Amino acid sequence: MTDVTRYLDGRTLILLSNREPYEHLAGEEGIHVRQPPGGLVSALDPTMRRTGGTWVAWGSGTADRETADEIGRLGVPPFEPAYTLRRVWLDDADIAGYYLGFANSALWPLCHLLIQHFEFHREHWECYQTINARFARAVYEESLRATGAPQVWVQDYHFALVPAELRRLTADIFIHHFWHIPFPPPDILRLLPTGVPETLLRGLLGNDLIEFHTERYTHNFLDCVREFLPEAQVRGESRRVAYDGRQISLGVFPISIDVDAFERLALTEESDARASALRQRYARGGRALGISVDRVDYTKGIPERLRALDRLWYESPELRGRFTMIIVATPSRTELVPYKNLEAEVLAAVREINDRYGSAEWEPIVLIHENIHVELLASIYRAADLCLVSSLQDGMNLVAKEFVACQVDENGVLVLSRFTGAAEEIEEAVLINPFNVAGFADGIRAALEMEPGERRRRMRAMRQQLHRSTIFDWLAGILARCAELMDTRPRPLAEVERGPVVHNDTLGTDANPSNGTGTTDGAVWSDMR
Ligand code: ADQ
């Protein structure tokens, strides 16, 4: 892992994300701790362990209150505290308004251009503002405890208003923000009531640096600023905005995965055995095996994928019995109606396809409708001959990268929607448009028929490219850019007076009631969004 501590130059990193890196859960055998192994946590937790600092997040676990002090702080990892987790409490109304409401029923569909799912409620917007202010206050309090000059890193669309609110509380603090999903063009943002887009953009312009996956999202952001905040000066060529007497920079930093970790998981003896067993079961006698992995979310194009498969088996009867598709589809945000409906639609479509084309020896689609352990995921990726990613819009899409990392035998073909951030980065995938069902079916057919030599050439090129751009390169790129920007800023007086910087202390064991209370179950993925 690249040593990123040098870019911090002794500053204290304060990270803000909606989901926390360690969640305490009450179970039958007492309290246990779980670490969600999503890309973000697996990159940032080791970093925080090395740099110290504080991670501020929603305390979502059922035993989170009992395992933190009275203001929600505890040292983590629980058995070997290296940094501080500051939990912020939300009640059911907060979750309904801020998280399920404005963040996931307004911003999420708008940013993905899927306006048929867009819902605006004034109470949700008010709640979003209140909760953003609450998180900004928590970050501010943590910044006052920091022993080194603080550098705040905000994650995602849950916190568009935090940067401006935090800057109101402490003007000189360095704040940057990674936006994990697409950023929409002005015509889409205009669907929000007057005043809301302006407030969101002003919130984001509280940052010193805003990071996106692709150039396109950066352009959309700048177009929105031009349109809604005429008082701001946009300098497109240098990707900067001058606003309120400050300079805000934008950067393109495509996120990635811990490539070596996935590769190692795919290469273990157990994984080898599991991959052989999977092929024996689903791909016997020259049959091909396909895989897809997503949360059940309308952005992922799951019904479109099923339509393409239906068309393929309808048009090409010779492919019936020659190709099995494993669809891993994890329930997500099931409290929301569009998600509940989508789940029912997916289950019904899978049943229909299996009834229509299946036989006593062959089930066309094997649906795994739950979270699976990352070890099993790596084995399935390794065993598969093709991976279908069919998002209607997707900020990046990590599944595409995980598949490539686990293809250690270099046999697989990646069929990738052109509407993912990944498609702008990965060369040699078979690109498809999920809205064009016939074209999508052709793409799958082309992947199935591709010569072994061509498959190997493409996969090898994708793997080489991926190794040059891991999650640690992403992290180092962002922190290096922050260091550059901080160097060009005059050092605020408070920081000069603070004297030599040292790492933030984590809470001692006394203040950490969670110590020794359980096990880390790192293998189960949890819905990070
Ligand atoms: P997501 O929309 O969640 O992320 P994605 O990037 O594909 O989408 O990441 C999903 C992660 O969940 C992957 O690591 C995948 O392996 C895992 N996962 C999904 N289903 C699973 C299951 N059943 N069992 C186990 N693991 C499962 C958002 C944006 C993306 C962006 C990321 C990171 O929407 O565009 O790539 O953030 O910035």
Side-chain angles (χ1 to χ4, degrees):
M1 176 183 155
T2 323
D3 180 15
V4 292
T5 51
R6 64 195 158 111
Y7 299 119
L8 287 174
D9 191 21
R11 287 167 195 268
T12 300
L13 188 57
I14 302 178
L15 195 92
L16 171 64
S17 71
N18 179 59
R19 288 286 172 163
E20 56 184 340
Y22 295 90
E23 189 177 47
H24 283 91
L25 300 165
E28 275 168 20
E29 283 158 30
I31 292 175
H32 66 284
V33 62
R34 181 174 75 162
Q35 183 178 41
L40 192 77
V41 169
S42 60
L44 296 178
D45 177 60
T47 304
M48 293 294 285
R49 288 192 205 192
R50 292 173 80 128
T51 59
T54 303
W55 190 321
V56 180
W58 166 30
S60 54
T62 46
D64 272 0
R65 281 185 197 263
E66 300 147 72
T67 48
D69 69 13
E70 65 288 351
I71 55 165
R73 304 176 95 234
L74 71 157
V76 289
F79 294 109
E80 214 183 0
Y83 66 94
T84 301
L85 171 59
R86 162 77 188 268
R87 289 171 171 157
V88 174
W89 311 117
L90 300 180
D91 64 22
D92 288 350
D94 298 333
I95 296 163
Y98 139 81
Y99 177 71
L100 295 169
F102 189 73
N104 282 321
S105 299
L107 275 182
W108 177 267
L110 285 186
C111 288
H112 290 89
L113 315 181
L114 296 169
I115 59 174
Q116 66 274 35
H117 300 294
F118 165 60
E119 258 188 54
F120 179 84
H121 296 284
R122 187 186 291 168
E123 315 73 62
H124 292 171
W125 168 232
E126 284 164 0
C127 185
Y128 184 85
Q129 294 175 82
T130 308
I131 301 302
N132 267 240
R134 189 182 300 167
F135 276 99
R137 163 70 49 185
V139 171
Y140 172 62
E141 286 167 10
E142 293 307 317
S143 77
L144 297 178
R145 291 169 177 262
T147 43
Q151 177 191 137
V152 174
W153 193 11
V154 181
Q155 305 292 323
D156 233 349
Y157 62 100
H158 310 95
F159 299 123
L161 307 180
V162 164
E165 177 61 15
L166 183 57
R167 194 161 299 287
R168 200 182 60 75
L169 296 168
T170 171
D172 292 328
I173 196 162
F174 188 89
I175 315 171
H176 60 121
H177 200 137
F178 195 87
W179 193 262
H180 288 261
I181 63 177
F183 202 89
D187 276 352
I188 296 287
L189 218 53
R190 196 177 295 119
L191 301 185
L192 288 162
T194 307
V196 178
E198 291 81 352
T199 307
L200 287 171
L201 292 167
R202 284 197 191 102
L204 284 167
L205 290 179
N207 281 296
D208 292 286
L209 169 68
I210 310 173
E211 300 121 11
F212 295 101
H213 292 297
T214 73
E215 199 77 51
R216 198 157 44 88
Y217 308 152
T218 307
H219 288 151
N220 286 346
F221 179 81
L222 291 176
D223 286 347
C224 287
V225 173
R226 273 191 203 98
E227 176 104 4
F228 293 103
L229 301 179
E231 69 273 29
Q233 282 174 286
V234 174
R235 304 200 178 104
E237 37 345 301
S238 56
R239 295 201 204 111
R240 270 189 305 168
V241 179
Y243 178 72
D244 202 20
R246 298 171 35 255
Q247 292 284 336
I248 297 94
S249 301
L250 306 189
V252 177
F253 299 95
I255 202 169
S256 189
I257 56 167
D258 185 343
V259 181
D260 290 338
F262 270 96
E263 202 171 272
R264 273 198 304 273
L265 283 176
L267 278 168
T268 60
E269 264 175 46
E270 299 78 43
S271 177
D272 200 31
R274 263 195 305 264
S276 304
L278 282 163
R279 290 202 67 87
Q280 180 60 24
R281 181 154 179 204
Y282 299 114
R284 238 190 342 259
R287 193 173 276 167
L289 184 63
I291 169 80
S292 70
V293 181
D294 337 69
R295 292 181 297 105
V296 178
D297 191 300
Y298 50 75
T299 61
K300 303 293 181 185
I302 305 173
E304 289 74 6
R305 188 184 313 152
L306 293 169
R307 279 196 269 284
L309 288 166
D310 187 16
R311 181 164 182 135
L312 182 77
W313 280 312
Y314 178 76
E315 283 181 347
S316 304
E318 73 282 3
L319 290 179
R320 297 181 200 161
R322 297 290 312 281
F323 154 53
T324 304
M325 188 69 206
I326 298 183
I327 295 191
V328 183
T330 318
S332 177
R333 303 176 193 165
T334 43
E335 303 89 336
L336 295 175
V337 174
Y339 286 77
K340 237 185 264 164
N341 293 344
L342 177 66
E343 196 142 320
E345 183 184 349
V346 168
L347 293 178
V350 168
R351 248 192 324 268
E352 266 171 44
I353 292 178
N354 283 346
D355 287 349
R356 194 170 304 140
Y357 305 109
S359 65
E361 302 81 54
W362 176 63
E363 192 180 28
I365 297 177
V366 177
L367 181 68
I368 302 179
H369 192 219
E370 58 189 32
N371 278 332
I372 61 173
H373 287 239
V374 69
E375 290 84 0
L376 175 57
L377 200 58
S379 312
I380 307 182
Y381 284 138
R382 178 174 177 181
D385 299 293
L386 72 158
C387 174
L388 305 186
V389 175
S390 54
S391 314
L392 307 182
Q393 284 292 322
D394 212 332
M396 172 53 65
N397 192 280
L398 296 178
V399 168
K401 295 191 173 187
E402 291 167 2
F403 173 68
V404 171
C406 293
Q407 274 288 311
V408 289
D409 309 306
E410 300 178 340
N411 290 326
V413 182
L414 175 63
V415 178
L416 180 62
S417 161
R418 59 176 74 253
F419 305 123
T420 57
E424 295 184 30
E425 203 194 349
I426 299 179
E427 287 163 18
E428 307 293 357
V430 172
L431 291 186
I432 52 104
N433 174 347
F435 296 99
N436 171 7
V437 177
F440 190 173
D442 289 345
I444 304 174
R445 196 179 290 108
L448 286 167
E449 287 168 2
M450 194 178 285
E451 291 299 322
E454 176 66 1
R455 289 166 166 261
R456 186 150 298 118
R457 187 193 65 72
R458 285 178 181 243
M459 185 48 78
R460 190 164 293 167
M462 287 192 277
R463 290 176 55 72
Q464 282 167 354
Q465 193 188 3
L466 186 61
H467 272 282
R468 287 193 297 269
S469 171
T470 71
I471 186 91
F472 302 111
D473 298 312
W474 172 79
L475 194 55
I478 289 175
L479 294 182
R481 181 88 175 100
C482 290
E484 216 176 88
L485 288 171
M486 282 186 287
D487 281 349
T488 58
R489 278 169 127 212
R491 236 168 152 87
L493 191 60
E495 199 171 303
V496 174
E497 283 170 352
R498 224 189 279 255
V501 284
V502 286
H503 291 320
N504 185 23
D505 286 334
T506 56
L507 289 169
T509 42
D510 290 345
N512 175 19
S514 73
N515 269 350
T517 53
T519 56
T520 298
D521 172 11
V524 180
W525 176 83
S526 86
D527 183 356
M528 290 292 288
R529 305 279 133 204

